[in-house]
Amino acid sequence: MLTASLTALALALSAPAPAAAQAAPSPTYSPPPASSGTVASPSSSPNAQWSTLLGNTLWFYDAQRSGRLSAGAYGNRVEWRNDSALQDGADYNVDLTGGWYDAGDYIKATFPLGYTLFSLAWGALSYGPGYDAAHQTAYLDGTLRWGYDWLMRAHPSDDVLFVQVGGNEADLAYWGGDGNIPQPRQAFPVNASHPGTDAWASTAAAFALGALAYSGSVWNTSGSVAPASLANGTYADLLRQHAESLYKTAKGTTPLATYSQSVPQIKAAYSSSGYGDDLAIAALALAAATNSSDYYHDAYNYYQQYALSGKRQVWNWDSRSPAVFVLFAEVANARPGIAQAAGLATNLTGWQAEAEAYLDSIVDGKQGYLTKGGLLFYPGDSDEASLNPAVAAATLMLRYAPLASSPAKAAAYNSFAKGQIDYLLGDNPMARVYVVGQHPNSPQNPHSALAAGGNNINNIRNDPPTEAYVLYGAMPGGPLKSDKFWDYRDDWVQTEIALDYNSNLPSIAAFQIVNGSADPFYVGLQAGSYTTPGGQPCDAALPCGSSLSAGAKAGIAVGVILGVAIIVAALVYWQRDRVARWRRGYRGPGK
Ligand SMILES: *[C@@H]1O[C@H](CO)[C@@H](O)[C@H](O)[C@H]1NC(C)=O
Ligand SMILES: *[C@@H]1O[C@H](CO)[C@@H](O)[C@H](O)[C@H]1NC(C)=O
Ligand SMILES: *[C@@H]1O[C@H](CO)[C@@H](O)[C@H](O)[C@H]1NC(C)=O
Ligand SMILES: *[C@@H]1O[C@H](CO)[C@@H](O)[C@H](O)[C@H]1NC(C)=O
Ligand SMILES: *[C@@H]1O[C@H](CO)[C@@H](O)[C@H](O)[C@H]1NC(C)=O
Ligand SMILES: *[C@@H]1O[C@H](CO)[C@@H](O)[C@H](O)[C@H]1NC(C)=O
Ligand SMILES: *[C@@H]1O[C@H](CO)[C@@H](O)[C@H](O)[C@H]1NC(C)=O
């Protein structure tokens, strides 16, 4: 084991400069103007609109890049971006440049990145022909490598994993372009004396699924495969070794602890609620990547020990059980030999029952509910960034449907997923297309310091009046439970963008291409037909009655009450991203 770990380390340290498995298309793919979203696709395949959606949702990850932008296999596709944060890691003598900015601000956050890369790799594993047909495989490869190469640098030895870069008061108080990001930025590791079981395991799961996606072997859930040209045994080995090293550390380092307990300075960012689900998904992904029945045994034990069976929660960076259920079913289908060798009485029928009980509870309205406009809404989790839980559920349903125990169930999952995807893409009461730059009805004010072009933190909404750059492919937080959406740049609840929000969109688009689906809903939407709601939003970013225009109403309000409201609003506003992440980390009792 020691030898294996040292080999992993040596390989990591000698990791070559980023390479691509294949040449990028010529000409380079660049997003077309939003006006192209109203043009019906020709009947030829692949579908042109789904291909554009796939291209744009991957392009978004290029726009979020940190470090030296020319370092990637195909250079920098985003002409308004500049090199930035070139000293990251200097405080620990580690090169932590590169990677991605997590959301609308400039921190790098490893724990949610584990979910992001897991989701991107899972899509790659299954919808390869979609990426190939759309000529997006080179960009898929470039995106995965940009993320994984950074994660490898963030994992310089078995127990050390850097879980965050940036995030002190000065960082959180900065609003502006990539040229003036406050320096120096602090890096935060977990290690044997400050354990982060969840972060180690979540990162191991991402590496393991990446190893499987790059392995070139068929992951057959009814014939699904990764793009053939993604295969690279050298890279797959590298990813697997980091996965094994991290998993062994997560499993063997006591006491088990969440990273936010061990490194309390970063609690405000992505506070984690536990590690049982992370251990289970890591062991299971490793079983899939290695065919090892030992890992499978571990996965099953964690699933029992942490009572994951029957959990009814959203699928997101902090809540992995839904993916555990579906991945167990996929392993039973694609690699039945692993469970058999583990000597466990587990089989496809059993995992179908687990996965279907979970998905049925969503379809039957027993988990979350549908808004009047039809969006799957989880009270609490959907209060901020409402689209994310709905898109995640839709992705699981599309993925699981081919494994369903009956055609009727498969049809129900496909139909539910289609409803959520249609909502996302314009079939909603606002007639909004919730992907930036996709259609004239797309939001134009994503809460993104990179794209906004302003540096006035006291007037994020209107300074400048028009967002400087179009952040193509970005999915914003989304509407409130009323289905209403205010395209306010300062309202991070509705308009902030994030790596994890976007991470299932390429999979969805690639699925549609493989499926030969008709044009996305937005193609039929008339340009400019969207609704701008009256009144003001009432959410955690802009609490009720405390909008920034409140001054205008001061005369009719009771002075003292309004004053208090403004102070509260100002505090929440000042800490907006911090509060956002704290809230996104919130999970009710039961996890
Ligand atoms: C495979 O990946 C390795 C490691 O990143 C890289 O050095 C090599 O060039 C890749 N091979 C091909 C054929 O792309
Ligand atoms: C990149 O630098 C150019 C030139 O200084 C500047 O105009 C642009 O806004 C910068 N981009 C960002 C995202 O800050
Ligand atoms: C271990 O992690 C803690 C918490 O991030 C950090 O303060 C400490 O410097 C790390 N130890 C080493 C040897 O890097
Ligand atoms: C994949 O699964 C499908 C349906 O289950 C089957 O027809 C096909 O032969 C399988 N392909 C491979 C390569 O195993
Ligand atoms: C796991 O088993 C499958 C099916 O037998 C095979 O195609 C794949 O190459 C194996 N993976 C590894 C890492 O040995
Ligand atoms: C398959 O799973 C079902 C449901 O959990 C169980 O009743 C059955 O015994 C299992 N069969 C085998 C052969 O393991
Ligand atoms: C798959 O394509 C068929 C044929 O176009 C379509 O009826 C079906 O809705 C698509 N499935 C999904 C989940 O979108």
Side-chain angles (χ1 to χ4, degrees), residues 406-432:
S406 72
K409 292 223 183 240
Y413 303 145
N414 279 325
S415 156
F416 190 91
K418 187 172 185 311
Q420 298 306 303
I421 294 164
D422 284 351
Y423 184 107
L424 171 78
L425 298 179
D427 190 8
N428 59 65
M430 300 283 101
R432 279 285 192 184

Side-chain angles (χ1 to χ4, degrees), residues 79-83 106 174 176-180 449-453 468-469:
E79 78 277 0
W80 46 268
R81 282 299 322 282
N82 309 286
D83 290 355
Y106 293 104
Y174 176 69
D178 58 16
N180 298 307
L450 275 172
Y469 308 111

